[in-house]
Amino acid sequence: MNKTVLGVDIGGTHMRLAMVDEQGRVLHHLKEKTLIQEGAGQTAERLRDECRAFIGQAAAEGSRVVAMGLGVAGKIDRIRGKVLFSPNLPALNGYPLATELQRELGIPVVLENDANAYGLGEHWARRGQGIANWIGLTLGTGVGGCLILEQRLWRGDDLGCVAEIGHMIVDPQGPRCACGARGCLEAHASARALWQSVGQAVARGELTAGPLFEHWQARALDAAAVYSCAQQGDELARRLFDRMGWALGLALANLFTVLGIRHAIIGGGVSAAWDLFIGPLRRSVEEHCMMMPVQNLLIQRSLLGDEAALLGAARLAWQQGG
Ligand SMILES: [Zn+2]
C-alpha cells in the first residue's frame, strides 16, 4: 500500500489542507476560510472532519495516510503540540490542537509555526533548494519569518518563537501591532496593516469616496482589493504599498547586515502585490545597507504561492511518521 501524508496550514484568513506524496507532489488540495470566530473547538472539529475525508479518500485510492504536519501562525509548543499565543488566531491560544487531532485521527501529528513550515517547504521543493543561507518572509494576515542557516531551519533555543521578523520594530512611534508592540514590521507590511490603515484614513475623514472607500464601506476590503485600487492609481493604496516596501527593505537591510548573508525569499498571499512593493523595497535596502555590497543581495519571490507552508508541514510529517 502506498503511503501519503497530510500537510495543513492554518493562517489568519484561510486554512489549507493537502495530501502529499514522498516526492512533494500535492495529490489533493482544499482551501477554506479559517472562521476562527467559531472558537478553537469548532475549528479543530472542522479540521478533523476534513482530515477524515482525506484519509477516507486515500484509502479508496489504495494508499494510507501515515502522519500529519500542521503549520499554525503564532508561538507554539512543539513538544506538547499546543498553540501558545497566536496574535492572528487568538481563539487557539492555549489550545492543544495537535494533541487533540493526533488522538482523534490516530496518526502522528507534528506542530510547527507556519513561517517555519514555509521555510521547510521552500527548502524542500523550490526556491530555497540548494541555497545554504536565506531569510524567509511570508506576507499574509500577519508577517511571518524564518531563517535557513547552513541548510537547516534555525530553531534558536526552542523557546516557542524564532525568527519573528514580522515583530522587528521598524518604527517605535509607528502603528500598534497585533502582538501589542508599536511599529512592528507586521504593522506596516501585512494584509491587516493595509485594511487597518484604510479604516483609519476613513475615521480621520481623509477617505470619503472612490473604489477604496466603497470596498471599505461594503466590508469587502482585503489585500487584493487594496492592490487593485493601487493599480488603478488610488493614491492612498499606492502609499500603503510604498510603506510596505520601505518597511520590508529596512528589516531586510538589518538582517542582511547582522547575519552576513545575501538571499531573501518572500512568499505568502500578499506577495502577489510584488510589482507594487519591490521597487520601494529595493530602494530601502540600498538606503539602509551600508556595510554590504548591495548589488550582491538577492531578493526573490517565492514560486510556491500558497503551497510552501503546506509542503513544509508535509515534509515534517514525512520526517515524523514516514
Ligand atoms: Zn508585533
Side-chain angles (χ1 to χ4, degrees):
M1 196 179 236
N2 294 327
K3 291 182 188 175
T4 58
V5 297
L6 298 181
V8 177
D9 173 29
I10 305 181
T13 317
H14 288 98
M15 184 157 90
R16 297 176 188 84
L17 182 62
M19 195 191 301
V20 180
D21 71 10
E22 205 157 5
Q23 283 71 47
R25 285 185 298 245
V26 173
L27 306 174
H28 299 289
H29 181 257
L30 178 82
K31 175 178 175 178
E32 55 181 46
K33 292 231 180 277
T34 304
L35 300 177
I36 197 61
Q37 67 278 11
E38 287 180 347
Q42 290 274 79
T43 302
E45 260 176 46
R46 206 151 47 84
L47 184 55
R48 179 204 61 201
D49 293 346
E50 303 291 7
C51 289
R52 281 195 178 137
F54 269 48
I55 290 168
Q57 192 167 3
E61 291 167 1
S63 61
R64 185 165 62 91
V65 174
V66 291
M68 174 171 151
L70 187 59
V72 179
K75 183 174 175 178
I76 53 142
D77 181 337
R78 287 194 300 137
I79 312 298
R80 293 190 178 80
K82 199 172 181 179
V83 179
L84 297 175
F85 171 62
S86 180
N88 297 318
L89 298 161
L92 291 181
N93 290 351
Y95 191 77
L97 185 62
T99 321
E100 283 294 307
L101 287 168
Q102 181 161 309
R103 189 173 55 80
E104 296 198 26
L105 297 172
I107 54 173
V109 177
V110 54
L111 184 65
E112 184 53 271
N113 167 272
D114 65 339
N116 282 346
Y118 156 80
L120 288 167
E122 282 287 341
H123 185 63
W124 186 30
R126 286 308 284 268
R127 277 279 200 221
Q129 271 185 330
I131 305 176
N133 302 308
W134 57 274
I135 300 158
L137 280 169
T138 60
L139 313 180
T141 307
V143 173
C146 66
L147 293 172
I148 301 285
L149 300 176
E150 298 180 341
Q151 301 276 9
R152 297 167 69 104
L153 179 69
W154 175 251
R155 293 197 187 276
D157 285 332
D158 233 337
L159 300 174
C161 63
V162 66
E164 288 287 356
I165 300 166
H167 301 287
M168 270 180 75
I169 293 172
V170 295
D171 176 7
Q173 270 78 51
R176 186 73 68 188
C177 176
C179 76
R182 192 174 274 286
C184 294
L185 173 63
E186 178 166 309
H188 296 80
S190 60
R192 175 185 282 120
L194 292 175
W195 70 64
Q196 279 189 342
S197 300
V198 173
Q200 286 157 3
V202 173
R204 288 194 300 267
E206 292 167 11
L207 181 67
T208 53
L212 197 56
F213 178 75
E214 284 158 21
H215 276 106
W216 178 84
Q217 209 173 27
R219 296 176 184 273
L221 189 68
D222 56 12
V226 183
Y227 174 71
S228 76
C229 290
Q231 275 198 319
Q232 288 157 32
D234 184 279
E235 205 181 310
L236 171 62
R238 291 196 82 90
R239 274 207 313 272
L240 293 177
F241 285 106
D242 284 351
R243 184 185 69 162
M244 176 181 286
W246 166 81
L248 288 167
L250 174 56
L252 284 177
N254 279 312
L255 289 166
F256 286 140
T257 308
V258 169
L259 297 167
I261 67 178
R262 55 184 287 254
H263 277 101
I265 304 173
I266 302 177
V270 182
S271 68
W274 186 261
D275 59 319
L276 289 180
F277 68 74
I278 189 60
L281 188 160
R282 290 195 200 285
R283 284 194 292 281
S284 178
V285 168
E286 281 173 28
E287 187 188 332
H288 296 108
C289 242
M290 294 299 149
M291 307 282 283
M292 302 282 280
V294 176
Q295 67 278 9
N296 290 344
L297 302 176
L298 199 57
I299 301 157
Q300 292 178 299
R301 186 176 168 188
S302 163
L303 296 175
L304 285 170
D306 283 353
E307 281 192 1
L310 268 181
L311 286 173
R315 176 70 170 157
L316 278 168
W318 277 117
Q319 287 168 348
Q320 181 84 6

